[in-house]
Amino acid sequence: MAQFLSSRRLLISWGVFALLVGIFSAYDATRPRPTDGALWLLGGDEIRIVGIEPGGPAAEAGLEVGDRIEGIGRQAIRDPRHAAQLLQSQTVGGTVPYLVRRDGAVREMQVRLSSTRIADVRTYVVYCGIGLIYLLAGAYIYWRSPNLVAARLFYVLCTLFLIYFCSASERSVFYYWSDLFIRNMGTLASLLVPPLFFHFFLVFPRRRSLLDRYPWAIPALYVVPLGFYLDFSWNQFFGSRGAAISATQQMTLGMFFTAGLASLVTTYVGSRDPDLRQRVKFLTLGTVLGTLPFLVFNIALAKLMGQTQVSLLGAVPMVLVPVSFGYSIARYRLMDIEVFIRRSLIYAILTGLTVGAYLVLVVLVGNTVLNISGQNSQLVAIVATLLIAAAFAPARERIQGFLERRFFREKHDLQRALQDLSRAIPHTLQRETLVELVRDRVTRLLHPRDFVFLPGNGGQLHFPVNGEDVPLPYFSRMLERRGSAATPEAVQSELMRLARRNDASRDAFRDEVLLFQERNLELAVPAFAGERLVGAIALGTKRSEVAYDGAEIDMLQIVAGQMGVQLENTRLYDEAVERKRLEEELGMAREIQQRLLPHDVPSIAGFDLAAVNLPSAQVSGDYFDFVSFGDCQGMVVADVSGKGLPASLLASNLQASIRALASSSISPGSVLRIVNDTLHASTDEARFATAFLLCLHPETGRLTYSNAGHNPPILRRANGEILWLDAGATPLGAFPNMDYDEDVITLEPGDCLVLFTDGITEAENDQGEFFGDEGLQDLVERCCEETAQGLLQRLRDAVDEHTGPVGAADDMTVLVVRMLSKKAEPQEGSLA
Amino acid sequence: MNTRIVTGVLVLAVAAVAVVGASRWFAPEEREVTCSSEKAYELYREGLDQMGRFRFDRAETALVEATELEPGFAVAQIHLATVYRNMGNMAKADSLVNLAEENLDDESELEKLWVERVHAIYHDEHEKGMELQKKMVELHPEHPWVLRLRAEEARRQQDYREAIALYDRILEQDPEAIEIHNLKGYMYISLGEYDEAVHALQRYAYYAPDNANPHDSLGEAYLYQGQYEEAIREFVKALEIEPTFIWSAVHLAQALTITGQFERAEETLQEMKPIFVERGQESWMSLEQLRIDFVAERWSEMIQQAEAALPFDDDLKHEIEYAIFVHYARTAGYLELGEMDNAYAARADLEALIEEISEKQTVYGIWDSAIARNQAYLESRFGRAEGNPERGIEDLRKVVAKSRLSPHELVMYRRELAEALLAAERPDEAAEVATAVLEKIPTAPTMNLLAAKAYYRMGEREEALGYLRTHLEVMRFADAGHPQVEEATQLLQQMVPRS
């Protein structure tokens, strides 16, 4: 039902179909065809009478329910269809011999066939007229407010009333295909009208809260009538009692009407809102006055007690329902049907009155002219008629103008609200504030049940679900293509388009749509900045249960347009602020890092030292340091994860910790263990640092070290042997309670030790190739005879050569320690 | 349960019912024979329908047109041949059967067998015909054409119940095969189920009201059932439709005789006399005339007519029933008039005739039971006349018990049996004989009178009065002075003395 109601094409097709059914029914009801007034089962193998029209030909001939008709017009009957063909070959008024079996005996009975043409054409015309009024009212309301749920329901209700009234004639036969069709349509309509009537008054003028508690209630309403129709359909073909709505079923349907009325009346009586009471007052009165006679005369007396002569008394007042409904809706601010009232109902009444007046005038003036002129000329009559017609148009205009002034009322001023919002938006430079502003105004204006802002990023919207943004690529694409609001119809149309193209993205799109459906969002209005989709606002159904009308959607699109521009402005503003912040942060980071680095390389007898830190564009957490381990010289090379200020701050902490601990003359492994625990406790797991810490006894050349996940330094012995110093454990701060192994080596004269960070070995060329450990080893082997500074310079050159014009992407830190010959004098260390 | 599922299921169910119902309503008709032309097929069906109604002229028109539209329509040609045969045009019938056999081309196997079988029968190749029939039964036992052959065979075997079942199966497949109702009606008559016979023949009369035969058949069923007025109405209708339908005249005379309307019965026969004469079937009329006299107890007239009929030719093949009855009537007549010598002489003539018939056993064997019944009857009558009513009682009991005839046909013999029993002062047994018939035919006037007499003798006045009332009700149109009515009136006077 919901899907049906949401498809405009389906609804319009249904309306056209209902009108065609009505026209065909009217045509068929006035067509004379022979009938015997007996009702048969259509699907059996024999003709068993299941109903007799009171006073009809079969009744007069003495046929009874339960009789089997074996022959018609001296022809043996093969099946019900053959029987129908035989009857159709007869003539109205003719007497046809029937061969009838009753209680095992057969008898011939003479049946004088009557006509299927309804006897009381005048009453039938009244019925059709009522049906037509319903259709016109429903169609026009729907046309003016196609997005309103209540309008759609009312429209469908009206079309069903049309079918109901047009097929309401008591047809005496049921075996012509046209009868079969019309009776089924009429029955379906008469079964669906009561629950739809109830349904309508459950959502109008105010949606009942029980529908939220029991969402199955609406579909459940239609289960019973569908069950009745199943019973009807079964019985018309195969059942035991023929096609008819039983008394119990009639009473049940009557209860639906009563419940609908009760819902309306309780809304009226129970409402504390005087405005609502005022608006519902006339509608309630009209509906009650229209429906109660229908319940009493049509259902209780005509259907249940068989007094069909009073059915007109129940049908005529039903006109009050669409009239009172239309009148009340005209004053119901959420439905834009003033124009309808002005141009349809009032216009129709006005036209009816003026046409009546016109005809009276034509007769009077025509007679007067003829009397005066004394000529019996058609020309005189025609001229008189044209003169009156000329006077008719301005007269109607004047009356219409008066009615327009009387009836046309100012509706809610959307335009004013829009102006207020337009003034406020440009002053809002924060996105959250902007979204809140729009949320507040739109919610106050339209009362949606939900408001969701869908942020856009790179032309793609995101749906916030449990704090996470779910991307909506297909929905975004649809909005970009449409360039306007997405209504349920548009979504349905997109789904059908994708289905027609057998597009694999249909399922993905449907998944995205489900996100909206789960939150009962009915409308999505895109916000564009130029051509770029920068966000959207999605609105839930309105608390009034009426759908968003055209004017509201237009207003929302204007708001969203302004919002889009402002969103772009806030984005640019935010970007500028962020850029400035980053620049400041970068400066601070550089400053911190520079502070970390020692100003001087210590001078150690027998050793030649050199160190360098080459920062990249983004400041990182590399550093080297010389610390004092009591009687030995400590050296550190560390690399803190991350970039920028946080990395620099962590590096600063690390340096402070190592320096503090080193002063207590404990071993490198112990220092690293304590620093690891401290870092782990004070930072998150994503923050860690690699470090290499050594302690060198200058006199003995004995070197104790521990490696905390750092690139193992390379030691090239004077004899050409290569060692990678990797004793230790995981990076600092990654895991708690780690023990850091130590290793002790003794440097010999001519040995060359190079400590470095990953910026050296992971320096990439334009082919994406790393400089690598091999490159480093090769260089150290080649240049180990040079001074520490010389080696350092060669290393820098080699890395520069490797990276080419691209340059290094990461910081590079290198510390070179060369042991001189014992006879040689100590050299002044250098900082590159 | 999810209401959306329930709603969906209901919608599907509604759609299913609508589709199934509509498919039955709009299902195309199946053709029973090979025929490419729609119009030719319609004409073929029309021809069959008219054949079933005995309207051979209309059947001819339709079938000729059908075969012209589709020259290779072998089945239609066979039916047209049957029409011509019924119309007496054997030459055309033969040529059509030959043509049909030549046209066998695209026809189904059954159609070919059927055409070939008819062709064989037309050409007196009965053995071949029987073989083809057997083959048809083997291959298509449930096809309407084959069912009809099987039913005819069952009827020949006197298995009427089986024949009816087979006819019903034909009607299930083809309700428009209206002549089947006629065949069914006679099967029911043979079974003594007259109500069912009436229903079947009512159907037949409904479908073919413009034909004398259905009304005649229905009249017969009414006659057997004891609904004499309805029977007379149907016979009259049959004669109105076809004034030369002699069998209806005979049957009408019988019905009128039973209800005591002798003059009208005789008039009916007299009006039809030229036709009887023209068709060489005068003896049937004379036989009925003798029966009227017998029932009317107009002994002298009966003897006179019987004597006038003598002597018969040697070849009694077509008049044997009449010849027997003539001799019987003479004997009974003389007996009733008390002319015992003449009666003995007439009986001797009768026995001589019977002996002659017995010698021609192969020809006249079917009359054995009739002869036995009549001898038992005469034995009883002679016994009564000679003051020994016990003499023929047992013989009569035996022949009546053995007879396959209907109660209607046995009324005369049962009457004699009852009369003999009354004469033998055994009214209770007489009452039993009468009521046995009345159980089947409650309106049988003679039996009602005998039952009344018997019960009156037994002192059961109220019972007797009831039977008497029925008798007089049935005989209310009887001619003045009808002997049974006279007797009934006397009995009534005895039972209800004038105050």
Side-chain angles (χ1 to χ4, degrees), chain A residues 479-547:
Chain A
L479 282 179
E480 271 187 330
R481 199 171 49 251
R482 283 177 60 79
S484 60
T487 55
E489 291 88 346
V491 171
Q492 194 64 30
S493 165
E494 178 70 4
L495 277 169
M496 287 173 71
R497 189 182 71 84
L498 293 173
R500 271 200 303 276
R501 289 169 46 189
N502 205 15
D503 198 320
S505 59
R506 190 177 76 144
D507 291 342
F509 179 70
R510 183 176 288 159
D511 289 344
E512 292 176 15
V513 171
L514 274 177
L515 293 171
F516 289 80
Q517 289 178 347
E518 281 166 7
R519 286 187 63 168
N520 283 327
L521 296 172
E522 193 177 79
L523 189 68
V525 188
F528 288 99
E531 296 293 317
R532 204 156 57 84
L533 183 63
V534 293
I537 51 177
L539 300 180
T541 51
K542 287 200 285 190
R543 293 189 187 282
S544 61
E545 272 307 319
V546 287

Side-chain angles (χ1 to χ4, degrees), chain B residues 396-411:
Chain B
L396 265 177
R397 273 194 199 279
K398 279 178 194 165
V399 294
V400 166
K402 273 172 66 178
S403 175
R404 287 175 173 271
L405 292 183
S406 68
H408 161 75
E409 291 164 305
L410 289 173
V411 160

Side-chain angles (χ1 to χ4, degrees), chain A residues 14-15 18 130-141 151-165 193 196 321-322 325:
Chain A
W14 167 254
I130 296 169
L132 209 57
I133 289 172
Y134 267 89
L135 180 74
L136 288 172
Y140 211 93
I141 285 175
R152 292 170 187 168
L153 274 176
F154 185 72
Y155 166 72
V156 175
L157 187 64
C158 287
T159 55
L160 288 174
F161 263 117
L162 169 75
I163 296 174
Y164 172 79
F165 281 119
V193 158
L196 195 59
V321 177
F325 189 86

Side-chain angles (χ1 to χ4, degrees), chain B residues 33-47:
Chain B
V33 291
T34 307
C35 172
S36 58
S37 162
E38 181 72 30
K39 181 69 183 165
Y41 181 73
E42 278 177 24
L43 287 163
Y44 161 76
R45 291 291 305 179
E46 166 70 13

Side-chain angles (χ1 to χ4, degrees), chain A residues 43 70 74 78 81 97 106, chain B residues 25 27 53 176 202-203 206:
Chain A
E70 292 191 359
R74 308 289 175 193
R78 291 195 296 273
R81 182 172 56 151
V106 291
Chain B
W25 186 255
R53 294 162 201 268
E176 290 173 282
Q202 274 178 327
R203 287 185 177 96
Y206 169 81

Side-chain angles (χ1 to χ4, degrees), chain A residues 748-771:
Chain A
E748 298 293 336
D751 285 357
C752 179
L753 176 64
V754 178
L755 285 71
F756 61 94
T757 57
D758 57 3
I760 296 292
T761 51
E762 291 177 7
E764 269 183 88
N765 64 9
D766 56 359
Q767 304 294 312
E769 295 163 344
F770 289 149
F771 183 72

Side-chain angles (χ1 to χ4, degrees), chain B residues 367-428:
Chain B
W367 293 108
D368 282 355
S369 57
I371 290 163
R373 278 199 304 276
N374 285 327
Q375 281 187 321
Y377 177 89
L378 285 177
E379 192 62 21
S380 174
R381 285 296 293 118
F382 273 96
R384 277 206 289 144
E386 291 166 3
N388 183 8
E390 295 283 355
R391 210 166 82 190
I393 288 176
E394 288 315 309
D395 285 349
L396 265 177
R397 273 194 199 279
K398 279 178 194 165
V399 294
V400 166
K402 273 172 66 178
S403 175
R404 287 175 173 271
L405 292 183
S406 68
H408 161 75
E409 291 164 305
L410 289 173
V411 160
M412 191 179 85
Y413 305 101
R414 286 210 165 101
R415 177 188 176 186
E416 175 52 33
L417 177 59
E419 293 282 15
L421 287 165
L422 282 173
E425 297 299 331
R426 290 152 68 178
D428 51 339

